[in-house]
Amino acid sequence: MEILKTRHFSKKKQYIISVSLVIVTAILCFLSVDVIGFRAVALILLLVVSLNAILFDIYPVMVSALLSALIWNFFFIPPILTFHIGSPEDALMFLMYFVIASINAVLTYKIREYDKRQRDEEERANAIKLYNTLLNSLSHELRTPIATIIGAIDTINDSGNKLTDANKKELYSEIETAGTRLNRQVENLLSMSRLEAGFIKPKKDWCDINELIFTAIKSNKEDLLNHSIVFVPDETLPLFKLDIGLLEQVIHNIVHNALLHTPQGSVIKIKVENAANFCGIIISDNGRGFPADKIDAVFNKFYRLNNSIGGTGLGLSIVKGFTEAMNGTILLENKSKGGAKFTVRIPAETTTIEDYGNQ
């Protein structure tokens, strides 16, 4: 794959490779010129010059074009081993070869540069689009809890002793809820940054999956006002060896997404499946589900369904990233009777609590 990164080679290395390609090709053609004829050699050398134009900067390409013309003249055009050209026809052919090789080199290089500029512009446009999407999402998700915190503190400062203990407790509760919401968004941004930087390294440890799920449910209690979560712990489950923090975040984000985007009164069910060499978590709801043509896109960074309320579009992309960091898989599908179903499977060793206690 290194040859595909030739644009980053030093000038000296580009000259050496481009000239070497021409020389090696010329040697091969010289050995077979009796079969292919000296005119066919010109086409082969033109092909090599075109390849150089795709791979290298313009000056090494022009050098290879000039060298190929001289080699064709000296070694292939009769009389060979001299720069003298025996017939006007061959002289015209040599001149045309040099012109075509030069034009071909320049045009191929220009096309490559144009394609590069187009890609750069497209990348900049995508970056601006992602930046605007992020700002639009965060403008609400961050500003709302900050405004709540500032408003509650102003009320406490301005009202002084006029507030009852109940009023103060309510304001403190609002500050805590807003702070938790603000912390969640910051954690999502940090998690996405760690994923993109490749800093996510699973740290496996034995864990009680029932306890882990209860912790993830508890972390969503502020959003659980109009929904219900059904999880029946299975006391027969073994201990699983996996990254507790990453899996807890995966479950938290899926549950939080369901709480955020399903109608009031929806029921979210969590189930654990224990199979050979992996831990499976199934999280389903009885909401509207996802549009069939959007299922493949919901794990994209900053992706939000039309008419969705709240969220930055990072939660499910973090779910996918954390799952894959643990060498696991995640499957999203719509249930036949309505609602969405997430199936997360993480490779994991297992052991019984009795065996763990004897270790």
Side-chain angles (χ1 to χ4, degrees):
M1 294 297 292
E2 187 178 359
I3 193 67
L4 300 179
K5 302 178 182 179
T6 49
R7 298 179 187 181
H8 305 294
F9 287 178
S10 65
K11 283 290 191 296
K12 180 179 179 181
K13 194 171 184 179
Q14 291 189 35
Y15 279 113
I16 292 174
I17 296 177
S18 59
V19 169
S20 298
L21 285 174
V22 171
I23 293 175
V24 170
T25 303
I27 292 173
L28 295 176
C29 290
F30 188 79
L31 297 175
S32 57
V33 67
D34 293 336
V35 177
I36 63 177
F38 75 93
R39 291 182 176 86
V41 173
L43 299 177
I44 297 173
L45 291 175
L46 279 176
L47 178 62
V48 174
V49 172
S50 299
L51 177 62
N52 285 338
I54 294 173
L55 298 175
F56 304 115
D57 292 331
I58 186 63
Y59 294 114
V61 174
M62 291 302 299
V63 169
S64 68
L66 175 60
L67 178 63
S68 68
L70 295 176
I71 288 176
W72 187 52
N73 181 0
F74 191 80
F75 290 99
F76 296 97
I77 298 179
I80 64 172
L81 303 182
T82 177
F83 288 111
H84 175 69
I85 300 178
S87 68
E89 180 183 354
D90 290 340
L92 179 60
M93 184 179 296
F94 170 74
L95 178 62
M96 292 300 298
Y97 172 87
F98 180 73
V99 172
I100 292 172
S102 300
I103 293 176
N104 180 52
V106 173
L107 288 181
T108 305
Y109 176 79
K110 291 295 184 182
I111 291 172
R112 191 192 76 183
E113 288 299 298
Y114 175 78
D115 289 341
K116 182 177 180 297
R117 285 196 299 271
Q118 290 293 102
R119 286 194 297 270
D120 290 342
E121 290 177 4
E122 184 177 345
E123 289 176 0
R124 283 195 294 270
N126 290 335
I128 293 173
K129 183 178 179 181
L130 288 176
Y131 177 77
N132 290 333
T133 302
L134 176 61
L135 285 183
N136 291 336
S137 300
L138 294 182
S139 64
H140 174 74
E141 292 299 314
L142 296 183
R143 184 166 49 191
T144 300
I146 290 174
T148 300
I149 293 172
I150 294 174
I153 292 176
D154 287 343
T155 301
I156 294 173
N157 289 333
D158 294 340
S159 299
N161 297 327
K162 298 178 183 180
L163 293 174
T164 64
D165 291 340
N167 294 142
K168 290 181 179 179
K169 185 176 181 180
E170 182 179 354
L171 289 172
Y172 290 145
S173 177
E174 290 181 3
I175 293 174
E176 180 184 8
T177 300
T180 301
R181 182 177 177 182
L182 185 62
N183 181 68
R184 181 188 303 131
Q185 301 307 327
V186 173
E187 286 292 334
N188 280 342
L189 289 173
L190 291 176
S191 296
M192 183 54 63
S193 298
R194 291 165 61 203
L195 280 170
E196 292 186 338
F199 289 157
I200 301 294
K201 304 296 181 185
K203 298 179 180 179
K204 296 182 179 181
D205 198 0
W206 295 108
C207 89
D208 182 341
I209 199 69
N210 294 317
E211 181 181 344
L212 185 149
I213 292 175
F214 278 124
T215 301
I217 293 173
K218 185 178 180 181
S219 66
N220 279 291
K221 64 180 181 179
E222 294 86 0
D223 303 296
L224 198 54
L225 301 177
N226 301 305
H227 295 73
S228 59
I229 298 178
V230 176
F231 171 61
V232 179
D234 184 352
E235 301 300 336
T236 65
L237 287 174
L239 297 179
F240 293 92
K241 192 171 188 179
L242 38 72
D243 191 305
I244 300 173
L246 294 184
L247 184 56
E248 181 182 329
Q249 189 66 46
V250 166
I251 298 171
H252 168 92
N253 282 15
I254 295 176
V255 171
H256 181 74
N257 186 79
L259 294 173
L260 198 62
H261 298 294
T262 55
Q264 294 185 7
S266 296
V267 178
I268 300 164
K269 296 182 178 180
I270 304 176
K271 180 182 177 182
V272 180
E273 59 176 353
N274 174 29
N277 301 321
F278 75 84
C279 172
I281 311 291
I282 301 173
I283 303 175
S284 60
D285 61 67
N286 60 347
R288 305 185 192 91
F290 291 86
D293 60 336
K294 304 295 183 183
I295 286 183
D296 292 336
V298 298
F299 294 108
N300 294 341
K301 184 172 59 174
F302 300 129
Y303 180 82
R304 299 170 66 192
L305 292 174
N306 294 333
N307 303 319
S308 62
I309 301 174
T312 58
L314 290 176
L316 292 183
S317 61
I318 291 172
V319 166
K320 188 174 188 294
F322 280 10
T323 300
E324 292 178 348
M326 294 184 285
N327 296 318
T329 61
I330 181 166
L331 173 66
L332 168 60
E333 53 190 335
N334 287 324
K335 296 162 57 181
S336 58
K337 296 183 179 180
K341 175 182 171 184
F342 291 84
T343 303
V344 178
R345 291 181 175 176
I346 310 294
E349 298 178 43
T350 60
T351 186
T352 62
I353 296 178
E354 292 78 10
D355 291 339
Y356 177 74
N358 294 328
Q359 292 179 2

